[in-house]
Amino acid sequence: MILAIESASTDPSVAVAEADGEPLVVDGWSGRPGQSRELLPRLLAAVERASRQLGDTTAVAVGIGPGSFTGLRVGMSLAKGLAFGLQVPIVGIPSLAAWLAAEPDARAALARAGAHEVFVLVRGTLDPAIVHEDGLPEAIRSEPVAAPEELASALALAEGRPPLRAAGSVAALAAERLAGDAPAGDDLRRLEPAYLRMPRGVRELPAESVKWL
């Protein structure tokens, strides 16, 4: 059984899946302040709804961003704690790739990168770009895209689809990695969120590297 957490936005989700990635329970919610506090209670409830126990866990999968600094820190901390406590592999999955996997018709995935900027991953590309909201192509504004509810509203996206089932895709993509090139998962100590930029108020890195965990 894989436990999956996706918390890169204001629309987080959790999932319980078979070891092959087949989803058993997916739970997503949207828009409330402090929603990351609900990750563990909802994950435990999902395990119960799947008629499983935590001891059945074979791996923990977590979305690594980019996206919300706070959400990513909370999700990563929870995932690492579960993997360490249960002594199972942990697998990090790029969040925007998981959003696109959960929404097959979406042209791109968008996450908030700041007050007026967004992370944009266009389907078929490997890396997200940081784009000012005024520079979003019309195709992204008018076609189906995966985007949190609050961001879709702020940008007036015509067909924004909240990533409420993205944790299911995080689990499925993790299962693929575990069955392929990463049977032992990622290094628990080294895995960290893919922030792509420094936290608000930090303008440059000091001489020594900083881990934003």
Side-chain angles (χ1 to χ4, degrees):
M1 177 179 78
I2 297 175
L3 303 180
I5 299 164
E6 167 45 41
S7 59
S9 76
T10 51
D11 295 347
S13 59
V14 296
V16 176
E18 298 283 15
D20 64 0
E22 183 67 24
L24 296 171
V25 177
V26 180
D27 182 18
W29 59 103
S30 182
R32 293 187 296 275
Q35 67 272 12
S36 294
R37 291 195 298 267
E38 300 182 43
L39 288 171
L40 181 57
R42 285 181 179 259
L43 184 59
L44 294 177
V47 171
E48 184 174 353
R49 285 168 56 194
S51 300
R52 302 296 177 89
Q53 299 180 350
L54 278 181
D56 299 327
T57 305
T58 57
V60 176
V62 60
I64 61 172
S68 161
F69 282 97
T70 300
L72 288 171
R73 284 196 299 270
V74 173
M76 182 65 72
S77 296
L78 175 57
K80 285 190 169 187
L82 288 168
F84 179 80
L86 296 170
Q87 291 294 290
V88 297
I90 188 170
V91 182
I93 298 297
S95 295
L96 301 187
W99 297 9
L100 288 176
E103 295 290 344
D105 295 334
R107 177 186 179 91
L110 283 69
R112 188 171 288 284
H116 300 289
E117 293 177 315
V118 292
F119 297 113
V120 179
L121 180 66
V122 177
R123 188 177 296 280
T125 63
L126 295 177
D127 299 314
I130 298 176
V131 180
H132 193 277
E133 62 183 19
D134 293 336
L136 278 179
E138 183 57 33
I140 290 194
R141 293 186 182 275
S142 60
E143 296 185 14
V145 295
E149 188 175 273
E150 64 85 18
L151 184 60
S153 176
L155 298 178
L157 301 177
E159 294 193 56
R161 300 178 179 180
L164 297 177
R165 297 189 59 80
S169 295
V170 169
L173 293 169
E176 291 180 8
R177 287 195 59 205
L178 289 166
D181 63 351
D186 291 311
D187 188 320
L188 180 67
R189 294 171 298 176
R190 295 180 179 273
L191 183 65
E192 60 184 27
Y195 291 130
L196 296 192
R197 66 188 310 162
M198 290 176 286
R200 185 179 302 170
V202 178
R203 296 184 178 276
E204 61 182 27
L205 287 174
E208 296 183 358
S209 178
V210 173
K211 304 289 186 183
W212 303 109
L213 291 177

